[in-house]
Amino acid sequence: MGEDAPVTDGRRLRGLRRRAEIIEATLRVVRRDGAAGVTHRTVAREAGIPTSLTTYYFATLDDLLVAALSSVADTYTARIRAIADAGGDILRGLAELIAESAGPGRERALAERELSTLAARRPALRPVARRWRDNVAELARARSADPDAVAALVAAADGLCAGVLLDPDSADVERIRAVLGRALAADTAPAP
Amino acid sequence: MGEDAPVTDGRRLRGLRRRAEIIEATLRVVRRDGAAGVTHRTVAREAGIPTSLTTYYFATLDDLLVAALSSVADTYTARIRAIADAGGDILRGLAELIAESAGPGRERALAERELSTLAARRPALRPVARRWRDNVAELARARSADPDAVAALVAAADGLCAGVLLDPDSADVERIRAVLGRALAADTAPAP
DNA sequence: ATACAACTAGTACTTTCGTTCAACTAGTTG
DNA sequence: CAACTAGTTGAACGAAAGTACTAGTTGTAT
């Protein structure tokens, strides 16, 4: 990894920027057409670069998918940490995050879900997929010491997200929060 | 269905059998390579028939996927109804069903999950995907009248299944049952 | 400035995809 | 028996895929 590059910044930086560009283009493709739509060619076309560049930076399609989807996971992680740091109603913050999957965040949520589905089959993606669950678990541990309760919340959050994706009309923040609260077996009553 | 076919049995029956054969072959491909691996050619090869036959019975790939995945959903539905009819510990039956996803039922569970992921993108698959959740919900209503509790159980079951798929080592029936019980907010203590 | 490594670009090869088509077989009907 | 239709077959098409290769460009170090 790091390999404390003796190479000076000029070239390396340009390369990293290209890399980031390609990852972003990949994410746009995933959001539009799903993980199945990701090919060297579609990504290159989306980024406006020749096909050979995508294969130069990502030798195999799997490399590309891993990079792109772990990038998605990173932004998700940041969101969850923000909820934890805000220090307010954690469950409500989580519920709002989940409810987003019905509207503006739908494509991102879909990409997340395709990641975890892919991860079950490709070991390379598994640790990335687990990161999401670990973050939610950590969030839950702030509210309950019972491992079963924590597991219940993580599972419920995942399942609720899937449900919202399946019919977006059911995405009501209050309701989601109530369900989450029930899973955590903590104060199910809404805050005053 | 019945549609009191004026056609005599010979041709019609042969056709239906072919149809079923192709669907089965499709499921084997899905279980082995995922939904992305389903093509007219791979399915035909798996079934040992020429490619043109699969297009004869299923004009488009979507038709084939819908048929195959709704077949999976049917067997799942049957399993859940069996749990309900057994009349014993419903949560335990559900936990056992989920725990199966770590072992022998892993491929089937994976196929189910790919269905619901696909369903979020293709409206044609949506009702099929919802059937699974509706069945679990019905199962839960036998134990609780609180809609939030029912929703929590459905979500938890879905999320637990995803978790087991992600790391099969965590598939402990007792633990899963405990988590499910907590979600339903019903007797979390194990049976005597 | 020269040499070298990182980067960019274009192109070509091979495979596989979805789909179509004309011909052939075998049951059904009149 | 003859006409008809559902079922079946193998071959073929163009489009798009993954990958590999070669030539050219740019920035860095000696």
Side-chain angles (χ1 to χ4, degrees):
Chain A
M1 298 302 166
E3 77 236 330
D4 33 339
V7 186
T8 37
D9 290 353
R11 290 175 299 185
R12 176 63 59 105
L13 265 187
R14 239 188 357 170
L16 286 184
R17 244 169 82 165
R18 264 280 186 259
R19 232 183 116 87
E21 266 181 48
I22 294 176
I23 289 180
E24 269 181 48
T26 305
L27 285 182
R28 285 198 297 273
V29 173
V30 172
R31 288 196 275 261
R32 188 183 349 112
D33 305 324
V38 173
T39 75
H40 278 139
R41 282 183 153 83
T42 55
V43 169
R45 198 180 314 138
E46 175 71 31
I49 57 177
T51 312
S52 47
L53 265 192
T54 65
T55 69
Y56 176 77
Y57 284 98
F58 302 93
T60 137
L61 265 188
D62 265 28
D63 292 344
L64 186 53
L65 278 177
V66 170
L69 295 175
S70 82
S71 161
V72 177
D74 280 344
T75 74
Y76 223 96
T77 299
R79 290 290 309 269
I80 288 183
R81 284 193 197 268
I83 292 176
D85 294 344
D89 184 350
I90 289 180
L91 290 187
R92 187 177 187 84
L94 197 53
E96 283 169 357
L97 185 57
I98 293 176
E100 271 182 24
S101 305
R106 178 178 167 83
E107 287 156 343
R108 177 173 47 76
L110 260 174
E112 265 281 349
R113 189 163 176 77
E114 298 197 342
L115 156 68
S116 65
T117 304
L118 232 58
R121 233 176 256 280
R122 308 198 201 188
L125 286 176
R126 223 170 276 195
V128 185
R130 261 194 285 254
R131 210 189 308 165
W132 187 85
R133 298 189 140 248
D134 289 344
N135 283 325
V136 179
E138 190 187 343
L139 200 59
R141 267 190 289 270
R143 289 288 298 268
S144 171
D146 183 351
D148 282 350
V150 171
L153 183 78
V154 173
D158 192 8
L160 279 170
C161 203
V164 167
L165 244 32
L166 224 48
D167 50 339
D169 297 336
S170 72
D172 177 62
V173 176
E174 287 307 326
R175 188 170 157 74
I176 293 176
R177 194 205 169 280
V179 173
L180 286 178
R182 186 166 285 275
L184 233 199
D187 68 300
T188 55
Chain B
M1 299 299 170
E3 77 232 338
D4 35 336
V7 186
T8 36
D9 290 350
R11 291 175 298 185
R12 174 65 60 107
L13 265 187
R14 241 186 357 169
L16 286 184
R17 242 167 84 167
R18 264 279 186 262
R19 230 183 119 86
E21 266 180 49
I22 294 176
I23 290 181
E24 271 182 46
T26 305
L27 286 181
R28 285 197 297 274
V29 173
V30 173
R31 287 195 275 260
R32 189 187 342 116
D33 305 324
V38 173
T39 73
H40 278 140
R41 283 182 155 82
T42 55
V43 169
R45 199 180 313 138
E46 175 71 32
I49 57 176
T51 312
S52 43
L53 255 194
T54 65
T55 69
Y56 177 77
Y57 283 99
F58 302 93
T60 137
L61 264 189
D62 265 28
D63 291 346
L64 185 52
L65 277 177
V66 170
L69 295 174
S70 83
S71 162
V72 177
D74 281 343
T75 74
Y76 223 96
T77 299
R79 289 291 308 268
I80 288 183
R81 283 192 197 268
I83 291 176
D85 293 343
D89 184 350
I90 288 179
L91 290 186
R92 185 176 189 85
L94 196 53
E96 284 169 356
L97 185 57
I98 293 176
E100 271 181 25
S101 305
R106 179 177 167 81
E107 287 156 343
R108 177 172 47 76
L110 261 175
E112 265 280 350
R113 191 164 175 75
E114 299 199 342
L115 155 69
S116 64
T117 303
L118 232 58
R121 233 176 255 281
R122 308 198 201 188
L125 286 176
R126 223 168 276 195
V128 185
R130 262 195 284 254
R131 211 189 309 165
W132 186 85
R133 299 190 139 248
D134 289 344
N135 282 326
V136 179
E138 189 187 344
L139 200 58
R141 269 190 286 270
R143 289 288 297 268
S144 171
D146 182 350
D148 283 349
V150 172
L153 184 78
V154 173
D158 192 8
L160 280 170
C161 202
V164 167
L165 244 33
L166 225 47
D167 50 340
D169 297 335
S170 72
D172 177 60
V173 176
E174 285 309 323
R175 188 170 157 72
I176 292 176
R177 193 203 170 281
V179 173
L180 285 179
R182 188 166 282 275
L184 232 198
D187 67 301
T188 56

